[in-house]
Amino acid sequence: TLVGAVFGGVSVFLLSRFVFRERVEKYLESNVFFLKFNGRIEREGWKLALVMRLASVPFGLLNMFLAVTKLKLLPFILT
C-alpha cells in the first residue's frame, strides 16, 4: 500500500542518514559532482528529488543516496 511504501522509504532515509551520512560525506568530500549536487539539493531539493523519482532509479538506492545529501525530510516524504 501507499502508507507502507512511504513508511518504508522514510525508515530507509532516516536509518541511512543517521548511520551512513558521516562516512559517505567523508568519502565524497573531494568529489566535485557530489559537492555541487549537495549544494543544489539544498536549494531545490524537492524538484531534484521528484525528477530523480521519475527517472528509472531504484527507490531503495535513491532513498539511501538522498539521505546522505542535505535534503530535508518533508520534501523527501512529499516526493
Side-chain angles (χ1 to χ4, degrees), residues 14 32 36 42-43 48 50 53 57 59:
L14 292 174
V32 177
K36 285 182 180 181
E42 190 173 19
R43 292 187 308 274
L48 290 174
L50 181 62
R53 290 264 185 235
V57 179
F59 276 11

Side-chain angles (χ1 to χ4, degrees), residues 6-31:
V6 171
F7 181 73
V10 169
S11 298
V12 169
F13 180 84
L14 292 174
L15 183 64
S16 297
R17 172 153 290 175
F18 293 113
V19 173
F20 300 117
R21 187 176 186 176
E22 277 187 35
R23 283 187 238 162
V24 173
E25 280 184 338
K26 190 178 220 180
Y27 180 74
L28 294 174
E29 67 188 359
S30 61
N31 186 311

Side-chain angles (χ1 to χ4, degrees), residues 16-79:
S16 297
R17 172 153 290 175
F18 293 113
V19 173
F20 300 117
R21 187 176 186 176
E22 277 187 35
R23 283 187 238 162
V24 173
E25 280 184 338
K26 190 178 220 180
Y27 180 74
L28 294 174
E29 67 188 359
S30 61
N31 186 311
V32 177
F33 173 78
F34 180 75
L35 294 175
K36 285 182 180 181
F37 184 80
N38 209 14
R40 192 151 182 210
I41 207 142
E42 190 173 19
R43 292 187 308 274
E44 306 175 54
W46 71 270
K47 293 176 190 175
L48 290 174
L50 181 62
V51 168
M52 292 175 76
R53 290 264 185 235
L54 296 175
S56 60
V57 179
F59 276 11
L61 293 175
L62 183 57
N63 293 342
M64 286 187 270
F65 176 73
L66 291 173
V68 298
T69 66
K70 294 182 179 180
L71 182 67
K72 304 281 188 231
L73 181 60
L74 186 60
F76 174 82
I77 292 171
L78 295 176
T79 59

